[in-house]
Amino acid sequence: GFPYAAPVNYVIMDGVVYIHGRQIGEKIGNIERDPKVCFTVWERTGYEDCGTAACDTTTVYESVIIRGKVKIIDDPETKKKMLLEIVEKLVPGKTGMDDKKIPPTVVYKIEAESVTGKYHKPLAGNKVHMK
């Protein structure tokens, strides 16, 4: 009955977000019960000095929030393509894949129903400290 958020590795293929995981656990149990998800990514690029007091700082960031439904992908070729893409993203230069590792991995496709975002860009004249 609680909201559930889990950090995941993801990749974007053909404009669609894909994630992967195991065949058991809280995430897959929740998805089987209700495929609705909220997927959020944010990046902090630094902070902005807005004055001299301690509270006169603001985070400089960009974010995206995708609400939609998750679909489990069963097609072995799509799964393999996604897994190779995520390896390339996280560990560039690694190639090849043991095909025996594909079936036990669950690949999820997020079918977006809405995409929104937030950001804070620094104001002109304020000093920005990059991350």
Side-chain angles (χ1 to χ4, degrees):
F2 287 92
Y4 179 74
V8 294
N9 291 317
Y10 70 95
V11 67
I12 299 171
M13 293 187 332
D14 303 320
V16 177
V17 175
Y18 289 84
I19 63 174
H20 69 73
R22 298 179 52 195
Q23 293 182 2
I24 59 170
E26 188 171 359
K27 178 173 53 191
I28 197 158
N30 288 341
I31 289 168
E32 288 171 347
R33 189 176 64 255
D34 185 345
K36 291 189 288 185
V37 297
C38 181
F39 178 79
T40 303
V41 177
W42 74 284
E43 181 177 18
R44 180 180 68 87
T45 56
Y47 68 92
E48 172 185 18
D49 276 336
C50 304
T52 57
C55 62
D56 290 338
T57 59
T58 302
T59 301
V60 179
Y61 71 97
E62 295 180 12
S63 68
V64 65
I65 301 167
I66 299 172
R67 289 181 176 90
K69 292 188 178 153
V70 161
K71 179 180 177 186
I72 295 175
I73 302 301
D74 293 320
D75 174 55
E77 290 306 311
T78 303
K79 287 173 71 169
K80 182 174 184 174
K81 180 181 175 188
M82 180 275 178
L83 294 169
L84 286 170
E85 292 247 354
I86 209 156
V87 168
E88 178 62 27
K89 175 183 173 182
L90 299 174
V91 192
K94 289 259 186 179
T95 59
M97 178 166 295
D98 181 352
D99 287 345
K100 291 182 278 191
K101 295 192 176 190
I102 297 169
T105 304
V106 181
V107 169
Y108 307 92
K109 173 183 179 180
I110 298 177
E111 297 177 334
E113 293 178 10
S114 72
V115 179
T116 59
K118 289 177 65 175
Y119 65 90
H120 175 75
K121 302 285 185 195
L123 298 173
N126 286 346
K127 184 174 182 176
V128 176
H129 303 273
M130 301 311 284
K131 104 178 164 177

